[in-house]
Amino acid sequence: MKAFVIAEHAEAASALAAGARTLADEVAVAVVGSEQVPANIADAAYHVAVPEGAAADDAAATLEALLDDVQVVIAEPVRHVKSIVGKLAAAKGASVITDCLSIEDGVATSMYFGGVGQIRRKAKSGIAFYTAGAGSFGDAQPSGSNAGAEELSWVAPAAALKLVSSEPIQKSGVDLNKSDVVVAAGRGFSEEADLDLARALCDKIGAGLGCSRPLAEGAGWMPSETYIGVSGLMLSPKVYIAAGISGQMQHMVGANRSGTVFAINKDQNAPIFKQCDYGLVGDLKDVLPKITEAL
Amino acid sequence: MMNIVVAIKVVPDDQDIQISAAGELDMSKAHQTISAYDLNAIEAAAQLAQAVGDSKVIALAVGGSAIDESKLKKNILARGAEELVMIADDACADLDAHATATVLAAELAKIGDVDLVVCGDGSADNYAQQVDVQLACKMGVASVNGVVEMSAAGSTLTAKRKLEDVIETVEAQLPCVVAVTPDIALPRIPGMRDILAAGKKPMNVGAADAAAETCLETIEIKAPEATERKQEVSNASDDGAIDAFVAALKAAL
């Protein structure tokens, strides 16, 4: 059995190569774009440099020839790679199972209706295509003897995109996926300035600050890459502190795999109190400074 | 002048899904509704049609026979589309991306002269984000996902797309397929006049010419098992409540 990993980021390439090793005895990895394939993660490694004026999505035409003896493709769940793997699946008459939470014996578990349910699916025949996050394979470690990566020459597709410009997004600086402790702010914050109370708590315990969707997409108080839940971040930190979060399913699917859940909300009937380990009923403006001080 | 098709998915309303004691998802009481992010796609298509001028938006939906519902069809047409083409056929229920793209491509060929297909960011059920790219492959045209802004001039579509690390501006030759993010346009709230007018617009409902085979097999759909939580909740004004909360927090850190 041979698995083929496609990623844009070196870190994802390692994590998915480790996962691929749990599914197949032979692992090949391709990284598309400016990052490189890390050494010793696979049996074969390839790199695709995207030419000036081309879009990474079109790397599918370059990679297609490498799939002839492959049974499983695992791809990084980012937009460029979702395009690439979609094109490859189309060429092979297959569909991609995206954003897999886990893959065992070819059966992938992913979310259904944003986490209301979980759906388990597998490919009926041919190549099985999946996208999966770094956390989908537990603590599997990559192994292999690849040194560098073979540089593939770009094959332009018939209907190519033309890249006009690419501007880096200014990030808030905190990668919540890597935070052991996350404070999430919700609609219980009635004014933007009150978020400083949550920031003070974060500073005290070295936590990252995230939010529920309305604070990012509605109010615009928080960067959109910090909202947690359906179509946003899916986190599993050691400690999760929900401040002014009501506990709606759409948010909680992004947090319910956390180690210990703490909640503060002024509404004692908020659903969050049924989904937390420790809860305090009270006003954020009053309670947050007291907690920060006592820590 | 452009012919724009907006591809929409009709899904059971997730607010009406019930979970049985055994963890099964019961959709029998759920209303059929437009998948949430496809509302933004309809609006984006309508706004582009207006910006280009002398253009037409056709809504195209593929699903099981349950999607052929009067109120739903009016809802789709009250949001800026001039015409609806609906494949409501039990052979088309629960299709995967590859099969959906096959049926959509066949219908698009019948509609003819389509300049642009607009898809939503992902469907409410599986959120696979794959129909756009699969459809473009079937049509032999380019696709762009993550689109937050778009404009068309001559035979070129210019799209700004928001990716994880960068904002890209790309050009694609028309015809092409785009998948737009919810940020691109706020869906309108149809008024009574829009809904009445929608009832008079052309609705072409039919069956698929050929059954499309899905290449994925569903083994099980179940509610996730809830994580057991201690649920030790107290009132912040109670004596020692904050201290106990802080002690538990320190222990967990």
Side-chain angles (χ1 to χ4, degrees), chain A residues 92-107:
Chain A
K92 300 289 179 190
S95 285
V96 186
I97 306 180
T98 54
D99 298 303
C100 300
L101 301 167
S102 65
I103 306 166
E104 277 165 43
D105 296 331
V107 178

Side-chain angles (χ1 to χ4, degrees), chain A residues 9 82 113 118 167 213, chain B residues 37 125 129 165 167 222:
Chain A
H9 300 96
K82 278 186 173 172
F113 283 98
Q118 289 187 350
E167 306 287 333
R213 188 170 176 147
Chain B
Y37 291 161
D125 48 3
Q129 306 183 297
D165 308 324
I167 306 264
K222 274 210 140 167

Side-chain angles (χ1 to χ4, degrees), chain B residues 3-76:
Chain B
N3 283 327
I4 303 172
V5 169
V6 54
I8 55 184
K9 185 162 191 175
V10 178
V11 294
D13 190 338
D14 57 14
Q15 301 299 316
D16 304 331
I17 298 174
Q18 312 212 337
I19 311 282
S20 77
E24 311 284 339
L25 271 62
D26 176 7
M27 313 246 182
S28 60
K29 293 189 181 65
H31 295 96
Q32 299 292 321
T33 188
I34 305 168
S35 180
Y37 291 161
D38 292 352
L39 296 174
N40 305 76
I42 301 174
E43 186 62 41
Q47 289 184 9
L48 180 67
Q50 185 152 36
V52 171
D54 196 21
S55 296
K56 185 174 174 183
V57 176
I58 300 171
L60 173 59
V62 172
S65 58
I67 73 169
D68 183 9
E69 196 196 76
S70 164
K71 204 172 146 193
L72 172 88
K73 289 187 286 189
K74 280 189 211 165
N75 188 11
I76 295 170

Side-chain angles (χ1 to χ4, degrees), chain B residues 79-104:
Chain B
R79 296 172 175 276
E82 274 81 37
E83 195 180 322
L84 171 67
V85 177
M86 180 179 264
I87 300 302
D89 184 336
D90 284 338
C92 293
D94 298 319
L95 297 185
D96 61 13
H98 187 259
T100 304
T102 305
V103 178
L104 287 174

Side-chain angles (χ1 to χ4, degrees), chain B residues 115-192:
Chain B
D115 298 298
L116 177 69
V117 181
V118 181
C119 300
D121 194 37
S123 63
D125 48 3
N126 285 317
Y127 213 84
Q129 306 183 297
Q130 289 288 306
V131 168
D132 50 330
V133 57
Q134 289 256 7
L135 176 59
C137 289
K138 278 269 170 209
M139 296 168 70
V141 302
S143 66
V144 191
N145 61 10
V147 173
V148 292
E149 266 177 49
M150 60 180 168
S151 60
S155 64
T156 306
L157 181 102
T158 303
K160 191 162 131 184
R161 62 198 300 221
K162 190 171 178 194
L163 307 178
E164 292 74 13
D165 308 324
V166 294
I167 306 264
E168 282 185 356
T169 302
V170 295
E171 288 177 4
Q173 289 304 300
L174 296 171
C176 67
V177 181
V178 295
V180 299
T181 75
D183 301 342
I184 194 167
L186 203 60
R188 67 189 67 180
I189 297 166
M192 190 48 76

Side-chain angles (χ1 to χ4, degrees), chain A residues 176-243:
Chain A
L176 292 173
N177 281 305
K178 296 192 184 122
S179 300
D180 274 343
V181 187
V182 170
V183 175
R187 287 168 114 160
F189 287 86
S190 49
E191 289 173 53
E192 189 175 359
D194 292 345
L195 287 175
D196 285 343
L197 302 174
R199 292 191 182 102
L201 173 61
C202 287
D203 289 346
K204 192 78 174 255
I205 55 177
L209 181 62
C211 64
S212 62
R213 188 170 176 147
L215 259 60
E217 304 277 287
W221 295 348
M222 292 283 292
S224 63
E225 71 268 17
T226 61
Y227 81 77
I228 298 155
V230 174
S231 77
L233 296 168
M234 296 289 174
L235 304 177
S236 47
K238 246 168 70 186
V239 172
Y240 188 79
I241 306 170

